[in-house]
């Protein structure tokens, strides 16, 4: 079958070749074909406006870290004296003792306090009179000197003697009246001991009449025993009058969580401590005073009627805040601020 098709194909190829090589007349060209009709113009589709861009949202603000609290003011930037007070610089000191004294003075431990100011002298009768005149402070209790066998009261009322026979509440009211506050127990002890842990404000030598007012029957004018000044320059931190402190008396204060900051327990915690001492019959734990039955306040420093060893700077005495005793007075403090 394949052979019968090959012959006609060869013949057609010879004839086509002959036609292409013959030189006969050029074939006539017929009339030109009409030009092609123009393509219809199709209008461009209407341009579609791009959708409006949504306004860009501002980026979220970068988180602002809180500024660190200002650094404590350097003690060197504070005046050493201000409004009758002397600066006690910030820093640690040893509070309490490991032996001697009473069990409520134990153990010795490190307390760190910010800088503060403390009155150079105990508040005098002359100072306190201004608060009486302003009808803010009540006058001293006039009969307590007689009841304690050291009267009459007028022996204690010279203008430069320390005010006495006033309550804790009256002492607090006076300090507020002059823009100050009562010092804390730890502040009184630091002012008396300094960073060296002195036994007495002047050092470790035993008390003598040239350094402090003690074992006598009446107070002296403030500032008359300069050799007994404390490490920062305060007068009469031992002797003359016991000084009210802000603190509630807590016999277990030195074992509380706040001991490193010089802070004792609350009134409720102090009452629980008193009850525990009574159960255990530990009367001497708080010194010669009876174990309290109410929340009492601390007094520091020793008084004119006290014995020499009672002037130690770690000694803690306590009485109800309402007591107006001829042997108790005070001085004021203020936070150190730039």
């Amino acid at each position: 079958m394949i052979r019968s098709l090959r012959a006609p194909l060869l013949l057609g190829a010879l004839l086509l070749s002959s036609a292409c090589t013959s030189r006969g007349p050029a074939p006539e060209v017929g009339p030109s074909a009409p030009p092609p009709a123009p393509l219809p113009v199709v209008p461009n589709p209407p341009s579609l406006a791009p959708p409006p861009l949504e306004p860009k949202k501002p980026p979220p603000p970068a988180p602002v870290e809180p500024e660190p609290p200002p650094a404590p003011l350097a003690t060197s930037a504070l005046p050493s004296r201000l409004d009758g007070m002397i600066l006690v610089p910030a820093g640690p000191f040893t509070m309490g003792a490991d032996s001697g004294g009473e069990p409520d003075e134990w153990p010795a431990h490190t307390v760190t306090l910010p800088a503060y100011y403390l009155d150079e002298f105990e508040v005098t009768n002359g100072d306190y009179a201004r608060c009486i005149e302003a009808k803010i402070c009540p006058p001293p209790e006039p009969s307590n000197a007689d009841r304690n066998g050291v009267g009459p009261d007028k022996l204690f009322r010279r203008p430069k003697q320390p005010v006495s026979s006033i309550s804790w509440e009256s002492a607090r009211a006076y300090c507020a009246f002059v823009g100050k506050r009562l010092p804390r127990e730890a502040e009184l002890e630091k002012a008396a001991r300094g960073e060296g842990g002195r036994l007495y404000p002047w050092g470790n030598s035993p008390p003598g009449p040239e350094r402090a007012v003690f074992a006598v029957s009446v107070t002296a004018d403030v500032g008359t025993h300069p050799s007994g000044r404390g490490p920062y320059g305060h007068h009469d931190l031992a002797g003359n009058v016991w000084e009210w402190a802000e603190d509630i008396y807590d016999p277990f204060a030195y074992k509380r969580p706040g001991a490193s900051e010089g802070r004792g327990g609350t009134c409720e915690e102090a009452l629980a401590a008193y009850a525990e001492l009574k159960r255990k019959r530990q009367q001497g734990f708080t010194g010669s005073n009876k174990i309290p039955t109410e929340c009492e306040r601390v007094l520091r420093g020793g008084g004119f009627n006290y014995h020499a060893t009672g002037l130690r700077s770690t000694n803690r005495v306590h009485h109800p805040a309402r007591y107006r005793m001829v042997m108790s007075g005070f001085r004021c403090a203020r936070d150190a601020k730039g």
Side-chain angles (χ1 to χ4, degrees):
M1 182 68 177
I2 295 173
R3 175 174 287 188
S4 60
L5 289 174
R6 184 177 296 175
L9 287 173
L10 291 174
L11 178 60
L14 291 173
L15 292 174
L16 182 59
S17 175
S18 171
C20 289
T21 56
S22 63
R23 296 186 178 268
E28 292 182 3
V29 178
S32 300
L39 292 174
V41 176
V42 178
N44 290 329
S47 60
L48 298 176
L53 295 176
E54 294 184 5
K56 291 184 179 180
K57 295 180 180 179
V64 178
E65 296 183 2
E67 294 185 5
L73 198 65
T75 300
S76 60
L78 296 167
S80 60
R81 292 176 179 267
L82 179 70
D83 195 14
M85 299 178 290
I86 297 176
L87 176 69
V88 179
F93 79 103
T94 299
M95 188 171 186
D98 289 324
S99 61
E102 312 294 348
D104 65 351
E105 301 171 42
W106 308 339
H109 57 291
T110 299
V111 173
T112 301
L113 298 177
Y116 60 97
Y117 288 98
L118 186 68
D119 282 347
E120 182 176 3
F121 304 104
E122 294 162 325
V123 174
T124 66
N125 289 309
D127 297 328
Y128 191 78
R130 295 187 292 118
C131 193
I132 298 173
E133 293 166 2
K135 302 188 182 306
I136 292 173
C137 298
E141 208 285 319
S143 64
N144 193 265
D146 285 323
R147 291 205 301 271
N148 281 279
V150 292
D153 186 69
K154 67 180 182 180
L155 296 176
F156 294 85
R157 298 294 157 235
R158 292 195 307 269
K160 290 296 184 180
Q161 284 176 287
V163 66
S164 60
S165 297
I166 58 160
S167 67
W168 176 87
E169 289 95 343
S170 296
R172 204 168 189 249
Y174 173 86
C175 289
F177 171 67
V178 295
K180 303 177 184 178
R181 59 172 174 80
L182 274 180
R184 293 167 47 203
E185 180 178 15
E187 291 173 332
L188 287 171
E189 185 164 333
K190 181 175 182 179
R193 303 189 76 186
E195 296 180 6
R198 297 181 179 188
L199 182 58
Y200 301 103
W202 54 84
N204 297 325
S205 302
E210 74 284 358
R211 291 189 173 116
V213 182
F214 68 100
V216 293
S217 60
V218 69
T219 56
D221 287 0
V222 301
T224 54
H225 294 71
S227 61
R229 286 178 297 178
Y232 305 106
H234 301 88
H235 291 254
D236 301 311
L237 286 169
N240 224 11
V241 288
W242 288 97
E243 298 182 17
W244 286 111
E246 175 67 24
D247 309 61
I248 291 170
Y249 172 67
D250 176 9
F252 300 159
Y254 296 174
K255 298 177 182 178
R256 300 285 186 192
S260 64
E261 298 176 350
R263 300 187 183 279
T266 63
C267 180
E268 292 75 16
E269 290 171 328
L271 289 172
Y274 306 159
E276 181 178 338
L277 292 175
K278 288 180 181 178
R279 283 196 309 271
K280 295 180 177 179
R281 300 176 184 269
Q282 291 182 287
Q283 175 60 47
F285 193 95
T286 66
S288 59
N289 292 346
K290 291 182 179 180
I291 295 174
T293 58
E294 60 184 276
C295 287
E296 297 189 348
R297 297 287 171 171
V298 173
L299 296 105
R300 285 300 197 110
F304 66 90
N305 64 329
Y306 223 59
H307 51 83
T309 57
L311 303 187
R312 64 188 180 276
S313 298
T314 57
N315 197 5
R316 308 175 71 207
V317 169
H318 50 93
H319 283 290
R322 65 182 180 278
Y323 276 24
R324 296 187 290 172
M325 302 171 291
V326 70
M327 65 285 298
S328 61
F330 68 101
R331 72 182 74 211
C332 301
R334 181 184 291 165
D335 297 341
K337 298 178 180 178

